[in-house]
Amino acid sequence: MPYPESPPAGSRERPVRASESHIQAWASALPSDEQRQCEKPQKVGRQQIQTLTLLSCKLLTVSEERPPTPHTTMKTFVCKLLLFLTAVLVPYNALAYTGKIKLEPNSVFSDEGLFYHIVSEEDRTVEVIMPCDLTPDFYGEYSCWNYRTDKSLSIPTRCIGRGITYKVVGIGPGAFKLATAKEITLPSTVSYISDLAFSSINCETINIPAECSYISESAFKNSSHDDPFFNVLGIITRINQLNIANPQYSVIDGCLYCTDKYNDKAHHDGDGKPKSLMSYISKLTSDTDNEDKIVLELPQGIEHIFESAFENNHNIKRIIIPNCVDTIGPYAFKSCSLEEMALPTGLKHISDELFMSCHSLKKIDIPNGVTSIGESAFEYCTALRKVTIPDGMISIGSHAFESCEELREIILPESITHIGAYPFAYSLISHLELPDAIETLDWVFAYCDELETIKLPKNLKSLNNSWISECLQLRKLFCPMETPIPSGPIVVADVLKNATLYVPAGCKEAYEKVDPWRNFWNIEEYTPTVSVEVAESEPTKSIIGTYDLNGRAVAEDAPGIKIVRYSDGSVRKSENSF
C-alpha cells in the first residue's frame, strides 16, 4: 500500500466553495503519474513573497539584536514595513502548503462533507484528503486554514462515490493541516496517517484506533522551515489530548514516540518501549505567553530524534537527552527558546540547522564523539558566547556559526580537515588559529569584522579571492607555509597597511616576490614553533613551567597544545605543531 508523502494542494479555480467538480477539474489538470510524488509549484509571485519575508525577518533580527544606531534604526523600520505590507497583501489563508500532489483523473470524490482519494480501485479503498467546507486562498488553492468547527468529527469507515462503496483506510497527506476542530475520531479501518496530516492543527482531542499501524513522523509536526510565514506568525500544532490505542506509539510528557528507531512500519519492536521521538505535540507548543517554561527529560532507551521534532517550540528552556541517543534529525531544535543543551555522548553528527535561530541558547556542550557539524547548525544563535570543539572533530559545515553575534572565542582542534564557507561571519571572534590539516579555505574569514589575529594552516594549498578583504581589524597574519601559495588580490588597502604578515624564518624574500603577499606593508619573520600569541614575546621573559590542558607538567618540546608560564607571571598558550 503506498504511503503518500506530500500534502494536497488546491484548485486553480476560484469558486465560492469547493465542490467535487472543482476538485475533479483540479486533479485532471495535473499531470498523471503512476507514482504519486511531491512537486513544488512554479509560482514566482509566492516564492518572491516568501523570500522577501524570510529576508526581512533575518534583517530585522540582526537589527534589533545590535546597539541602536541611525543605520540599524532605519533598517529595522524598513524591515517592519516590508513585513506589514506582506501581511496586508497576503491573506492569512494563503499560508497553506504550496506543494501539489499528482492524482489520477477521476480519482477524487466527495461524500458526507469529506473529499476522498481512491487508493485502490480493485480493493475499493480510499483515503481522506480534505474537508469539503473550504474556500480557496489568495492563490486559488485550497487548504484547511479556514476550516473551523466546534463540533466533533467522526470519520466514517465507508463512503460512497459514483455509486460504489469504498472502505476508508488512511488519512492523506496534509488532510487536516491548519484545521480547527473540537474532536476528531478515526475509524478502525484506518491503517495509516500520512505526512503532515494533522500539522499545525488546533484540536482538543484526536482519537486514533489500535488498527492504525503506521503514523508518519511528520503527521503532527509544526509547519516550519519550508514556509517562512509560519516562522513569522507562529502557526504551530495545538492538541490538548492525543489518544493512540496502538502500543507501537505512545505519548509521554507531550511527546509522540514509536517503538522503532526509524518508524519503519514493518519492524516495530514488540516490547512497546519507545525507541525514537517523533514530535512534540503538547498544546504547550503553541502557548507562547506561558512564562513557566519547563525542563523536559526524555526517557531512557530512545535512540533517535526525528527531523523538526521540537521546531518552533517556545516553552521548553532545557531538554535532558539520554546518552543512548545517537542520531538527531535536521531542524530538531530550530527556532526554539532553549537556553542550554548538553548533547548526548552517543551522538556522532550535529545535523544541518539543528539549533538555527535559537536566540536564547547561551551554552552548548559538544561531546567528544561528535565528528562533524552540519551547515547552519548554530546560525543565528545570537546569545551563544563560547564554543569548545572537541578533539576528533573532522568537519565544520558552511554557515555553522554565522551571525552568532556574541561568540567571542572558539578553539579548533588539530583533527579538523575541512571548514565550509562563512562559518564565523558576523561573530565577535578576534583570534582564530586554523588546524594544519586544512588544505583549502573558501570564504572562511568572510565578514569576520572583529578578527585581529589569524594563523593559517601549515598545509594550506589554496585560497579563494579576497579572502581577508572584510577583516578590517586584522593586525597579525601568521603564514607558517615555507613556500608562499598563490591567491587572489587583497583589494582593501587598510588590511595591507595595518596588518603585519609573519612568515617562517628565511622565507621573507620569497613572500616579497609573490602576490598578494608582497603587497603587505609590513612583513616579518618568526619561528613557527610557538603559539601566534607568543610570537612577539619579549626576550627578557623566560619560561619557568610548561603544562598540558589538564595541568600536568610536560616538556617544552612536547607535541600538542600546552600552557606556558613565564618569569614575569604571564601565561600563554603554546603549540609545537606549526
Side-chain angles (χ1 to χ4, degrees):
M1 177 183 298
Y3 290 91
E5 298 182 354
S6 58
S11 170
R12 297 181 182 274
E13 306 297 328
R14 302 188 66 177
V16 176
R17 292 287 177 187
S19 66
E20 184 173 341
S21 60
H22 297 138
I23 298 298
Q24 286 288 358
W26 158 68
S28 300
L30 296 175
S32 61
D33 197 328
E34 292 183 1
Q35 186 175 12
R36 304 160 62 195
Q37 55 185 333
C38 178
E39 177 184 288
K40 290 186 178 180
Q42 303 298 320
K43 293 193 174 182
V44 178
R46 165 164 287 192
Q47 293 175 350
Q48 289 176 339
I49 292 175
Q50 290 181 338
T51 302
L52 176 65
T53 304
L54 182 59
L55 176 62
S56 302
C57 293
K58 288 188 175 182
L59 292 175
L60 182 59
T61 301
V62 172
S63 300
E64 293 184 337
E65 292 285 342
R66 293 177 175 173
T69 64
H71 175 70
T72 57
T73 301
M74 177 59 68
K75 185 161 60 173
T76 301
F77 170 76
V78 172
C79 293
K80 288 184 177 180
L81 180 61
L82 289 174
L83 290 174
F84 172 77
L85 292 176
T86 303
V88 171
L89 294 175
V90 182
Y92 284 160
N93 61 353
L95 302 179
Y97 185 82
T98 60
K100 59 185 179 183
I101 186 169
K102 293 183 178 180
L103 301 175
E104 295 292 339
N106 302 318
S107 65
V108 177
F109 64 87
S110 64
D111 183 41
E112 298 293 332
L114 293 172
F115 280 109
Y116 298 92
H117 169 251
I118 299 174
V119 175
S120 171
E121 193 69 68
E122 180 181 356
D123 297 333
R124 301 289 175 87
T125 56
V126 295
E127 63 183 4
V128 178
I129 60 171
M130 68 174 69
C132 286
D133 192 19
L134 302 177
T135 55
D137 63 18
F138 182 78
Y139 301 97
E141 297 178 351
Y142 289 98
S143 74
C144 291
W145 173 261
N146 48 24
Y147 179 75
R148 307 273 193 277
T149 178
D150 56 358
K151 300 178 180 179
S152 297
L153 174 62
S154 293
I155 297 176
T157 58
R158 299 183 183 276
C159 60
I160 297 178
R162 298 171 301 181
I164 301 174
T165 299
Y166 293 89
K167 182 170 70 173
V168 180
V169 297
I171 306 299
F176 294 96
K177 180 178 178 179
L178 299 169
T180 298
K182 181 179 180 181
E183 182 177 7
I184 298 177
T185 301
L186 307 187
S188 59
T189 54
V190 167
S191 61
Y192 68 90
I193 299 176
S194 301
D195 293 351
L196 304 174
F198 297 101
S199 174
S200 298
I201 192 173
N202 185 356
C203 189
E204 291 291 326
T205 306
I206 297 179
N207 302 307
I208 301 175
E211 290 78 7
C212 184
S213 59
Y214 177 78
I215 301 176
S216 168
E217 55 269 15
S218 67
F220 297 94
K221 67 173 285 188
N222 297 329
S223 299
S224 49
H225 61 273
D226 54 0
D227 197 330
F229 288 104
F230 292 101
N231 289 325
V232 176
L233 300 180
I235 304 172
I236 42 188
T237 305
R238 307 181 182 188
I239 302 175
N240 268 359
Q241 186 173 356
L242 178 60
N243 302 318
I244 304 178
N246 191 324
Q248 295 175 351
Y249 299 93
S250 58
V251 179
I252 305 173
D253 294 332
C255 296
L256 176 61
Y257 296 89
C258 70
T259 59
D260 181 76
K261 182 176 181 179
Y262 297 110
N263 193 27
D264 187 339
K265 52 186 176 293
H267 297 93
H268 279 279
D269 293 343
D271 58 6
K273 295 181 180 180
K275 294 295 187 296
S276 62
L277 190 156
M278 298 168 62
S279 60
Y280 187 71
I281 50 86
S282 172
K283 191 170 183 177
L284 286 174
T285 307
S286 61
D287 189 6
T288 55
D289 297 327
N290 181 10
E291 298 181 356
D292 299 326
K293 297 184 179 181
I294 62 176
V295 176
L296 179 65
E297 183 172 2
L298 305 185
Q300 291 291 330
I302 67 169
E303 302 174 359
H304 176 65
I305 297 176
F306 274 99
E307 173 182 319
S308 302
F310 293 91
E311 187 171 359
N312 277 326
N313 183 287
H314 298 291
N315 292 87
I316 301 177
K317 65 180 182 181
R318 184 183 174 206
I319 300 176
I320 302 174
I321 304 176
N323 289 327
C324 50
V325 172
D326 56 18
T327 52
I328 302 177
Y331 327 109
F333 306 109
K334 182 178 179 180
S335 300
C336 290
S337 294
L338 293 170
E339 296 179 1
E340 60 179 293
M341 171 68 78
L343 293 173
T345 57
L347 193 66
K348 303 299 181 185
H349 170 66
I350 296 179
S351 301
D352 295 349
E353 300 185 28
L354 184 61
F355 294 98
M356 185 178 181
S357 298
C358 290
H359 299 295
S360 301
L361 186 65
K362 301 176 182 177
K363 181 182 178 182
I364 181 72
D365 294 329
I366 302 178
N368 291 329
V370 175
T371 59
S372 60
I373 298 176
E375 294 185 4
S376 302
F378 297 94
E379 187 176 357
Y380 289 103
C381 291
T382 52
L384 194 61
R385 287 180 172 268
K386 181 180 179 180
V387 177
T388 301
I389 308 296
D391 290 335
M393 184 70 67
I394 297 176
S395 173
I396 297 178
S398 300
H399 310 279
F401 296 94
E402 181 179 335
S403 297
C404 293
E405 298 173 354
E406 295 296 324
L407 183 60
R408 302 172 185 271
E409 181 180 359
I410 189 166
I411 300 175
L412 304 176
E414 284 298 318
S415 56
I416 293 178
T417 60
H418 170 76
I419 298 180
Y422 309 99
F424 312 113
Y426 307 109
S427 69
L428 296 180
I429 296 175
S430 61
H431 177 84
L432 192 59
E433 298 184 34
L434 298 181
D436 287 337
I438 296 176
E439 297 183 354
T440 303
L441 294 180
D442 185 15
W443 300 105
V444 170
F445 308 110
Y447 305 106
C448 292
D449 302 335
E450 302 298 324
L451 264 181
E452 298 178 4
T453 305
I454 296 175
K455 177 254 169 183
L456 296 176
K458 187 175 182 178
N459 297 317
L460 187 64
K461 296 180 179 178
S462 65
L463 283 166
N464 68 295
N465 294 335
S466 304
W467 53 282
I468 55 171
S469 292
E470 293 89 1
C471 302
L472 301 181
Q473 303 300 320
L474 186 65
R475 296 297 179 264
K476 301 177 184 179
L477 175 61
F478 290 84
C479 296
M481 305 88 70
E482 294 183 356
T483 302
I485 62 174
S487 170
I490 301 174
V491 296
V492 180
D494 287 345
V495 175
L496 298 171
K497 180 174 63 175
N498 298 327
T500 298
L501 175 64
Y502 292 90
V503 300
C507 300
K508 180 177 179 180
E509 184 177 352
Y511 274 84
E512 289 177 337
K513 296 179 180 180
V514 178
D515 285 329
W517 314 107
R518 64 180 179 180
N519 294 321
F520 280 88
W521 289 23
N522 302 303
I523 302 179
E524 298 184 14
E525 294 183 347
Y526 82 114
T527 302
T529 57
V530 294
S531 169
V532 298
E533 295 183 70
V534 300
E536 297 183 300
S537 299
E538 297 182 9
T540 56
K541 293 182 180 181
S542 61
I543 298 175
I544 62 174
T546 307
Y547 310 88
D548 64 13
L549 296 180
N550 294 319
R552 294 188 295 264
V554 296
E556 291 183 23
D557 58 350
I561 301 175
K562 301 179 296 300
I563 305 299
V564 180
R565 184 181 297 277
Y566 292 88
S567 57
D568 65 348
S570 63
V571 177
R572 294 290 187 271
K573 184 180 70 172
S574 173
E575 183 177 4
N576 286 340
S577 59
F578 62 91

